[in-house]
Amino acid sequence: MVPSVTLPDYKKIARAIRKEPADASDQEKTQEVTAKHRAAITDRIVEQSIIDLPQVLIDAELGQMFGQMEHDLARANLKIDDYLGHIKKTREDLVKEWAPVAEKRAKLQLILNEIAKREHIAPPAEKVEAEVARLLTQYEDADEKRVRLYVVSMLTNDEVLKMLEAES
């Protein structure tokens, strides 16, 4: 069962948060300003939304966070247990530290899904196909169904965030 999401007037929130102008010649600075602007809008929407978030969604988000960390460590030829020993923490310590972030990320995903549904936002099929093909070439052993779900989710989120930015 999908949790119910009661959204505030997200367009009004987006309009109330102004984007700082960035020097157009510096692409990195422009991306940083855009990321901060998007975070300001989504933080306010998350704060004003009402969501009965089941623990299973927080746990799933924590699982993704651990998976990303393990992937990043593996690229650096490190094992998670060695890393945890080095920083003198346990998995349980990280779960406690990460729980608020995981809860916020889970809420944000539900919010973005709800806004996409209300606004009838979906990424262009050709963009989805191109990104799925690119990722399957890069990660040959990846499951196509999971890659497609990931791509649709990421591109949909991006389209929702663009819509909110356009409101401001």
Side-chain angles (χ1 to χ4, degrees):
M1 185 171 109
V2 178
S4 69
V5 178
T6 304
L7 294 174
D9 186 342
Y10 49 87
K11 289 183 178 181
K12 183 177 177 182
I13 290 170
R15 284 190 295 272
I17 298 172
R18 297 283 173 233
K19 184 176 183 177
E20 297 174 24
D23 182 2
S25 64
D26 186 354
Q27 184 179 0
E28 190 174 308
K29 177 71 173 161
T30 302
Q31 288 174 340
E32 183 181 316
V33 168
T34 297
K36 284 182 179 180
H37 184 239
R38 285 180 172 189
I41 292 170
T42 56
D43 284 352
R44 185 73 54 86
I45 294 170
V46 169
E47 288 168 9
Q48 295 183 26
S49 294
I50 300 168
I51 303 172
D52 184 22
L53 189 65
Q55 185 63 40
V56 67
L57 293 181
I58 298 169
D59 293 343
E61 195 61 45
L62 284 165
Q64 287 184 344
M65 293 168 76
F66 270 105
Q68 183 64 50
M69 185 174 121
E70 287 175 345
H71 176 75
D72 293 346
L73 289 170
R75 288 186 12 197
N77 293 321
L78 295 170
K79 292 185 178 4
I80 191 164
D81 292 333
D82 295 339
Y83 175 75
L84 290 172
H86 178 73
I87 64 169
K88 296 176 178 41
K89 293 189 179 188
T90 65
R91 285 179 182 262
E92 293 75 25
D93 293 334
L94 291 183
V95 166
K96 286 177 190 170
E97 286 177 23
W98 292 357
V101 174
E103 181 177 343
K104 183 177 177 182
R105 284 172 51 165
K107 285 181 178 180
L108 179 58
Q109 189 57 60
L110 290 171
I111 288 166
L112 294 175
N113 290 349
E114 183 64 23
I115 292 172
K117 188 170 85 177
R118 287 186 186 186
E119 300 291 332
H120 307 288
I121 294 174
E126 61 278 359
K127 202 170 181 180
V128 171
E129 293 308 318
E131 186 62 13
V132 167
R134 187 186 74 75
L135 288 174
L136 288 175
T137 300
Q138 189 174 350
Y139 303 100
E140 295 172 6
D141 59 337
D143 176 46
E144 183 175 349
K145 203 175 222 178
R146 292 182 75 175
V147 169
R148 185 170 303 283
L149 286 171
Y150 169 78
V151 167
V152 168
S153 178
M154 292 301 105
L155 292 178
T156 301
N157 290 351
D158 192 53
E159 293 294 323
V160 170
L161 292 169
K162 285 178 186 173
M163 181 275 298
L164 290 170
E165 282 181 299
E167 287 290 326
S168 63

